[in-house]
């Protein structure tokens, strides 16, 4: 049995055991699609790990499957092997895995070794894992053990599945999801500032589901003062438990929230961190800290620079997804910093009108249409009389 390799890219001439073919094998594509679909069940439960699915096939028949279910738990390959009556059933089977099997001892043993030990004859991989402790090492291990390996089947879909994970690994920052509700004429509030409610109950419940699977939720002080939000995930049923409890972040460039605000009064139950600039009142900040609120002092004072610094800090904490629930000015800061990766737009069947009524993104904006960052439509879903559109930037965009 070969020793586990150091994680380094595969080099040299292509081996007959390692394939990355342009020709699409329909069977490979079919079973990889299954692996990607079951991987999605881990959404909100496995981060900062990637979502991974594995399907075991022999003679064209699925004999086992599994997915990474929770952070720190068994990986997809192990779950798939455990789904068999006996691991002997895996001998000479093909494993379809949406992400390269790991080759290092982390919270769990290496999955590449588990597949080899089970006698799997072929492994089809959606995409190589750029995580430094893997980075081709799993593929090298399989190759050295004589396992036929095909890489890159449905690679675009595999990368789409784990775009936030890839952003964290490659760029060291969380994936930023901007969410807003707006009217048919593009307003997020009336001219007097009223915004509750633009959308109906079904759409608002979907927002709670989104809150329940992200690592953090960020707002600005304008939203805290205007809406006094809780920013917690609340299910329609009392027994529903969120996948994770998102930490709440408030950008405090000049001012701080009141001790009486909901977000502060609930700080002992749900974490709250203030992202503070140098101009805030230090005595008031001390009071808030005694009330259970945490704070991060930022070096930069310009709004877009505060955004960039914050994302670097959160990336160091291995946060994968950050949701923006702030108003037009917070979104303008992230827009100016070029740090919005995904947009969840809820369109309500109302018209507000008025030049004074705000749109979703404030600030100075851009001058030329050619300067606009392109997004692509990922999904469009009716929610009662409302619509939810999800857009993402191309993965190559930064």
């Amino acid at each position: 049995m070969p020793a586990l390799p150091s994680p380094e890219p595969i080099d040299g001439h292509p081996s007959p055991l390692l394939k990355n073919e342009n020709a699409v094998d329909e069977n490979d594509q079919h079973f990889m699609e299954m692996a990607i679909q079951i991987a999605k069940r881990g959404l909100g439960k496995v981060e900062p790990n990637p979502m991974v699915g594995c399907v075991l096939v022999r003679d064209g028949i699925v004999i086992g499957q599994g997915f990474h279910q929770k952070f720190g738990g068994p990986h997809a390959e192990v779950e798939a092997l455990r789904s068999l009556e006996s691991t002997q059933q895996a001998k000479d089977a093909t494993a379809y895995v949406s992400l390269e099997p790991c080759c290092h001892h982390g919270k769990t043993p290496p999955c590449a070794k588990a597949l080899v030990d089970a006698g799997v004859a072929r492994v089809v991989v959606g995409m190589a894992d750029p995580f430094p402790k893997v980075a081709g090492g799993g593929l090298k291990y399989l190759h050295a053990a004589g396992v036929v390996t095909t890489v890159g089947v449905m690679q675009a879909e595999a990368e789409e599945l784990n775009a936030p994970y890839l952003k964290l690994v490659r760029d060291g920052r969380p994936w930023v999801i901007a969410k807003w509700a707006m009217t048919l004429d593009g307003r997020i509030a009336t001219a007097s500032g009223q915004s509750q409610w633009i959308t109906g109950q079904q759409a608002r419940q979907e927002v709670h589901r989104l809150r329940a699977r992200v690592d953090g939720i960020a707002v600005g002080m304008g939203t805290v003062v205007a809406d006094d939000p809780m920013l917690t995930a609340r299910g329609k049923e009392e027994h529903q438990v969120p996948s994770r409890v998102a930490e709440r972040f408030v950008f405090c460039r000049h001012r701080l929230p009141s001790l009486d605000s909901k977000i502060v009064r609930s700080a002992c139950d749900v974490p709250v961190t203030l992202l503070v600039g140098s101009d805030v009142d230090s005595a008031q900040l001390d009071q808030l800290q005694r009330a259970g609120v945490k704070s991060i002092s930022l070096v930069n004072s310009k709004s877009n620079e505060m955004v960039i610094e914050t994302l670097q800090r959160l990336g160091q904490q291995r946060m994968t997804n950050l949701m923006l629930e702030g108003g037009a000015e917070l979104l303008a800061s992230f827009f100016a910093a070029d740090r919005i990766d995904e947009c969840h737009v809820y369109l309500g069947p109302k018209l507000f009108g008025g030049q004074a009524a705000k749109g979703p993104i404030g600030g100075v904006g851009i001058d030329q249409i050619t300067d606009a960052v392109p997004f692509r439509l990922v999904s469009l879903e009716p929610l009662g009389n409302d619509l939810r559109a999800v857009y993402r930037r191309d993965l190559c965009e930064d």
Side-chain angles (χ1 to χ4, degrees):
M1 186 66 60
L4 288 170
S6 59
E8 58 186 34
I10 299 172
D11 52 16
H13 296 289
S15 162
L17 294 177
L18 181 61
K19 301 179 181 180
N20 194 351
E21 301 168 339
N22 292 326
V24 176
D25 184 297
E26 291 185 1
N27 287 329
D28 284 353
Q29 195 166 16
H30 170 73
F31 293 120
M32 184 58 70
E33 171 66 18
M34 290 181 60
I36 289 173
Q37 288 302 319
I38 63 173
K40 294 177 181 178
R41 300 179 193 174
L43 180 65
K45 303 178 181 68
V46 302
E47 292 84 356
N49 283 355
M51 293 176 281
V52 185
C54 177
V55 175
L56 299 173
V57 177
R58 185 194 292 115
D59 299 326
I61 298 174
V62 175
I63 60 173
Q65 63 183 31
F67 67 99
H68 186 28
Q69 299 184 20
K70 64 178 181 179
F71 179 71
H75 290 183
E77 299 90 331
V78 173
E79 292 284 7
L81 292 170
R82 287 181 178 179
S83 73
L84 304 175
E85 293 183 5
S86 168
T87 55
Q88 295 297 318
Q89 290 179 292
K91 185 173 176 58
D92 297 327
T94 297
Y96 291 86
V97 192
S98 57
L99 184 71
E100 176 185 359
C102 64
C103 57
H104 66 288
H105 287 268
K107 291 183 178 295
T108 61
C111 295
K113 184 176 185 300
L115 293 173
V116 171
D117 289 346
V120 170
R122 180 175 179 240
V123 176
V124 181
V125 176
M127 63 168 288
D129 189 348
F131 185 61
K133 291 185 178 180
V134 183
L139 298 171
K140 287 186 69 174
Y141 182 82
L142 294 168
H143 178 187
V147 177
V148 177
T149 309
T150 302
V151 186
V153 174
M154 298 191 69
Q155 180 168 325
E157 292 82 357
E159 290 178 346
E160 180 82 5
L161 171 71
N162 280 309
Y165 167 76
L166 296 176
K167 179 67 68 174
L168 181 61
V169 171
R170 293 170 175 168
D171 298 340
R173 67 173 178 86
W175 183 263
V176 175
I177 302 170
K179 164 263 164 186
W180 67 82
M182 68 181 185
T183 61
L184 295 177
D185 54 340
R187 269 65 169 181
I188 63 170
T190 64
S192 65
Q194 292 183 3
S195 60
Q196 297 179 347
W197 297 101
I198 290 174
T199 56
Q201 181 62 38
Q202 190 175 349
R204 298 200 295 274
Q205 194 58 46
E206 288 302 316
V207 174
H208 283 289
R209 290 192 179 93
L210 179 57
R211 288 178 180 177
R213 58 98 167 164
V214 298
D215 301 294
I217 301 169
V219 295
M221 272 302 300
T223 296
V224 172
V225 172
D227 297 340
D228 193 22
M230 278 287 288
L231 302 178
T232 54
R234 298 180 292 280
K236 190 174 182 181
E237 304 295 336
E238 290 295 327
H239 66 273
Q240 288 180 337
V241 179
S243 301
R244 56 184 55 221
V245 176
E247 186 168 352
R248 299 168 296 173
F249 294 92
V250 183
F251 280 86
C252 306
R253 189 178 177 190
H254 302 296
R255 51 183 176 165
L256 295 166
S258 163
L259 287 169
D260 295 329
S261 62
K262 291 178 182 177
I263 202 167
V264 172
R265 286 190 283 115
S266 60
C268 293
D269 299 316
V270 181
V272 178
T273 297
L274 307 181
L275 305 161
V276 300
S278 57
D279 294 337
V280 299
D281 187 314
S282 58
Q284 185 184 357
L285 181 60
D286 289 341
Q287 286 184 316
L288 290 166
Q289 290 172 335
R290 287 194 292 272
V293 172
K294 297 181 291 182
S295 67
I296 295 177
S297 296
L298 300 176
V299 175
N300 297 290
S301 57
K302 292 183 178 179
S303 57
N304 61 327
E305 293 175 348
M306 291 176 71
V307 164
I308 292 171
E309 183 181 352
T310 294
L311 292 176
Q312 290 173 339
R313 300 281 287 270
L314 298 187
Q316 291 167 2
Q317 298 177 26
R318 297 193 70 197
M319 282 201 166
T320 307
N321 291 282
L322 178 68
M323 176 184 178
L324 306 182
E325 286 227 47
E329 295 312 309
L330 180 70
L331 289 176
S333 298
F334 276 80
F335 175 76
D338 197 21
R339 288 296 184 267
I340 297 176
D341 301 299
E342 182 172 319
C343 298
H344 288 226
V345 182
Y346 292 82
L347 190 65
K350 296 179 175 69
L351 296 170
F352 284 176
Q355 292 184 348
K358 288 185 176 181
I361 299 179
V364 297
I366 61 173
D367 292 326
Q368 303 296 322
I369 292 178
T370 53
D371 294 333
V373 175
F375 284 75
R376 55 190 168 78
L377 183 65
V378 175
S379 66
L380 184 64
E381 179 183 4
L383 300 168
N385 285 326
D386 306 316
L387 282 177
R388 177 179 61 183
V390 176
Y391 288 86
R392 276 186 169 185
R393 292 178 69 163
D394 289 333
L395 298 182
C396 61
E397 293 285 351
D398 187 21

